[in-house]
Amino acid sequence: MNGHALKKSLQILTLLLFAGTLFSCRPRESLGNAAGEGLILGFSQIGAESAWRNCNTRSIQEAAEEKGVQLLFENAEQKQENQIKALRSFIVYQVDVIAFVPIVADGWDNILREAKEAGIPVLITDRKINTADNSLYAGFIGTDSFREGQEGARFLLRKFASADSVRIVEIQGTEGSSVAIGRAEGFREGLAGQDKFEIIHSVSGDFLRSKGYELMRGILRRYDGIDVVYSHNDGMTLGILDAIREVGLAPGKDIVIVTIDAEQAAIDALKRGEVNCVIECNPKMGPAIIELAEKLARGESIPPFQHVHEVVFSEYDDLSSIEPRGY
Ligand code: AHR
């Protein structure tokens, strides 16, 4: 064996030993105590695409630490295949409970079946999944994206009560994600039967500020007379505002802006009059997730569906007493 081959073999051996330490099966009986201490929770997060997402991650990590829950945290860097790998590694490790944020709604049945066969309860958080078999997971806690879309429509009905025609651009979130689907459907349902509203362009910006900016630049070159931008998250909205300012238009005045998440930056823009309506999507679900995980580890049942509390802030409200958002 030459020097290079020997080095390679040693590297592979080290990796195998490391993986063996990390993922060797531990006995299932080592569940946490009643307070949750000792409980092992495997959590697969989508990534770090927005300030909202980072707050969601912090909330889970802090709640786990507070309760003495051992958190195996995996960041999937926006790839479903990474999430599936992470879930499989949690099964091999025999964690007590698995929780994850499904990046898209489809494609989870096989891995959930593996978790079910291993006897590990799964909690779905933030976004929903599509499955014909709801017995594959224990419960869902997260945002009500359909209602968020309806709230956006409700604001526009009030804002444009006396207008004859309203031309809307929609920048959607990640394609195939339950939140992008819900926000699009709820919005359309809220405007149903109101023919003066027309969605002239709808495109996915993947929840990224950079894409919001790039897409909006192109849209402003292509269309005149845009009345509204409905953006599925604040990150994209911040990019959209930059693009609108660059062409000499005033966001919030020349173009009405409706956005979702309620990050501090969006609330500040609302206060400046550059955004008109901010629909909260609540990322601080860590304490509730840990509480549900503890129940599952104790073998208790949990509600199949739970939506987190969320509010709406708009130019029609008194904005003076909004607490710092923390994200
Ligand atoms: O799933 C929630 C969405 O994902 C938030 O609106 C967005 O900011 C995040 O990336």
Side-chain angles (χ1 to χ4, degrees), residues 6-167:
L6 180 66
K7 201 169 152 207
K8 198 90 206 141
S9 308
L10 280 173
Q11 276 173 352
I12 291 169
L13 187 65
T14 314
L15 266 178
L16 285 173
L17 283 174
F18 175 71
T21 324
L22 200 62
F23 296 126
S24 62
C25 298
R26 68 188 186 90
R28 283 308 314 277
E29 67 270 16
S30 59
L31 296 180
N33 63 22
E37 284 165 8
L39 184 161
I40 300 184
L41 171 66
F43 190 91
S44 166
Q45 179 60 283
I46 292 174
E49 73 279 8
S50 60
W52 187 100
R53 181 65 54 204
N54 294 337
C55 176
N56 182 243
T57 294
R58 272 197 313 279
S59 170
I60 292 154
Q61 289 172 332
E62 285 168 10
E65 196 178 335
E66 197 170 304
K67 288 296 187 93
V69 168
Q70 194 184 325
L71 185 67
L72 300 187
F73 183 88
E74 288 291 336
N75 175 338
E77 290 171 358
Q78 311 298 322
K79 290 199 175 78
Q80 184 178 29
E81 71 215 53
N82 289 347
Q83 289 204 280
I84 291 174
K85 273 187 206 150
L87 264 48
R88 191 159 289 128
S89 74
F90 298 151
I91 296 169
V92 171
Y93 189 75
Q94 296 197 333
V95 298
D96 299 313
V97 180
I98 291 174
F100 75 110
V101 180
I103 184 161
V104 289
D106 288 330
W108 300 101
D109 279 21
N110 288 342
I111 189 69
L112 290 180
R113 212 165 283 124
E114 288 176 36
K116 190 177 175 185
E117 279 160 15
I120 302 176
V122 177
L123 177 63
I124 293 173
T125 78
D126 174 23
R127 302 182 182 179
K128 294 177 181 154
I129 63 164
N130 287 333
T131 177
D133 183 359
N134 286 329
S135 79
L136 290 177
Y137 62 99
F140 161 84
I141 180 159
T143 195
D144 186 347
S145 50
F146 188 83
R147 192 197 55 82
E148 289 163 353
Q150 286 177 316
E151 293 290 357
R154 195 194 319 279
F155 172 81
L156 293 183
L157 292 177
R158 179 171 179 186
K159 177 81 181 170
F160 291 97
S162 54
D164 294 331
S165 86
V166 184
R167 287 158 56 84

Side-chain angles (χ1 to χ4, degrees), residues 46 49-53 101 126-127 143 148 174 177 179 183 206-207 232-235 260-261 263 281:
I46 292 174
E49 73 279 8
S50 60
W52 187 100
R53 181 65 54 204
V101 180
D126 174 23
R127 302 182 182 179
T143 195
E148 289 163 353
T174 301
S177 66
V179 276
R183 288 169 188 178
D206 216 6
F207 286 129
H232 284 200
N233 89 339
D234 291 345
I260 299 175
D261 274 358
E263 290 180 8
C281 174

